[in-house]
Amino acid sequence: KDYRISIQHAVPGYDVLHEIGAAAMAATANTANDVLVVGPGPGDELPQLLDACPSARVMVVEPSAQMIIECRQNIEQHAGKNRCTLIQANLEEAVLSHLDGSQFDAVVCHNVVHLMPAEQQKELLVQLAGLVLPGGHILLSSHTESSDANLVEKVLLVATQRLSDRGLARDKIEQLLAGLNTVIFPLTQERMASVLAAQGFHRPVQLFQGLFSRLWLIQRSIQR
């Protein structure tokens, strides 16, 4: 419960982001055979994803034991739960021990990339890219900021007011904001697009933005 409250504070439009993400999967990966979900936390997106990809085997990689428990609870009542495999590991461990050279029709990664500095972001993006089949998609969301400092400042003012309107105390707001560039590292669309283009992906399609939070759909070229 505490995690869900905090993530909804941190990610404006959290539920809408997942709703649009599920729609994107239904529109582009409805016939997928294999889908990978990286770092879903409690797995709030999993029931909708199982609906969106009704025949897919869904592999979930999540490093936290507690979050794996919550993922399991989230899909317990879903008819497709047996199509879902939960792996407690980080992505690098999973690639070495479970994925065994597998590639997927779609890879879903929400609100993970911004938890690491720029160089590690690039490494993760390359790793995600290598897991996608030709013609497949990455569905990616992250905290991102404009390169224009004036625009960032204006959005930050609105973001701060939103947190106040949600009832957060001033010290809690300051704690969240202090995490920018120390715990949360913005992923720029330019960096993401450049890294993925080098891996054979088309230009990212932005599907949603809520203040600093964005959602993209990026397709890999059919030709390797």
Side-chain angles (χ1 to χ4, degrees), residues 56-84:
R57 295 176 292 269
V58 177
M59 189 169 289
V60 177
V61 175
E62 166 57 51
S64 165
Q66 180 58 42
M67 293 296 109
I68 285 285
I69 291 171
E70 295 195 31
C71 284
R72 186 171 290 112
Q73 292 171 345
N74 248 328
I75 61 172
E76 184 59 35
Q77 302 303 315
H78 197 284
K81 67 179 181 180
N82 292 331
R83 294 189 282 114
C84 199

Side-chain angles (χ1 to χ4, degrees), residues 3-53:
Y3 175 88
R4 284 191 174 87
I5 292 173
S6 65
I7 196 70
Q8 287 172 356
H9 288 328
V11 180
Y14 177 78
D15 293 332
V16 175
L17 184 150
H18 285 316
E19 177 186 325
I20 294 173
M25 288 293 94
T28 63
N30 182 257
T31 60
N33 293 315
D34 294 283
V35 175
L36 175 66
V37 183
V38 178
D44 291 335
E45 67 266 46
L46 295 180
Q48 290 175 304
L49 182 60
L50 288 167
D51 288 338
C53 304

